[in-house]
Amino acid sequence: MTGQEIVDACTSLVTNPDWQPGFDEVWDLTGSSEVDVTPIGLDQMVQAARGHADKVGVSRCVFVVSRDGVEAVLRLFGRLTQDLPRTYHIVRTLAEAEAWLGLEPETLSREGGQ
């Protein structure tokens, strides 16, 4: 997965007719065989976050990652977008994501399995 692929996926989400500002997001990147975000890809992600800020609204986004390198890039992304109304958080498991979002245990694993 590249920075541009992440941008494309985010654009698809926020332009979906069912999307509403304020929706929270969970990005589970643990199943990606490769996450390769170059400095240009990181810049694309930041610009997309800024460009979609009105569609995203005040919300939360949690990234589930299994590799330190991916976590480092996402931490930098969070710092570069900290002036936006969205809160970003990084965890290692879906259970941690559920807890941070205040969801019942196994909610995300049930949703993903349907």
Side-chain angles (χ1 to χ4, degrees):
M1 177 171 272
T2 66
Q4 185 59 56
E5 289 172 327
I6 293 170
V7 167
D8 293 344
C10 182
T11 299
S12 291
L13 279 175
V14 300
T15 58
N16 184 296
D18 293 327
W19 178 264
Q20 294 180 25
F23 276 177
D24 292 329
E25 292 178 44
V26 177
W27 289 72
D28 184 357
L29 302 175
T30 59
S32 297
S33 60
E34 183 176 333
V35 179
D36 182 21
V37 179
T38 64
I40 291 171
L42 179 60
D43 186 53
Q44 291 168 326
M45 290 169 57
V46 170
Q47 294 309 314
R50 295 190 178 291
H52 295 310
D54 61 325
K55 293 180 180 118
V56 170
V58 178
S59 61
R60 301 172 297 173
C61 179
V62 59
F63 295 102
V64 184
V65 302
S66 57
R67 289 181 281 186
D68 293 339
V70 175
E71 182 176 345
V73 169
L74 293 173
R75 287 207 185 282
L76 182 55
F77 171 77
R79 287 186 185 199
L80 293 170
T81 57
Q82 66 186 358
D83 59 319
L84 298 177
R86 170 169 265 194
T87 302
Y88 293 98
H89 191 63
I90 301 167
V91 297
R92 292 292 175 146
T93 67
L94 285 175
E96 291 174 299
E98 291 164 340
W100 187 74
L101 291 169
L103 300 173
E104 292 292 323
E106 298 185 18
T107 299
L108 296 175
S109 58
R110 283 193 308 266
E111 294 297 319
Q114 291 182 359

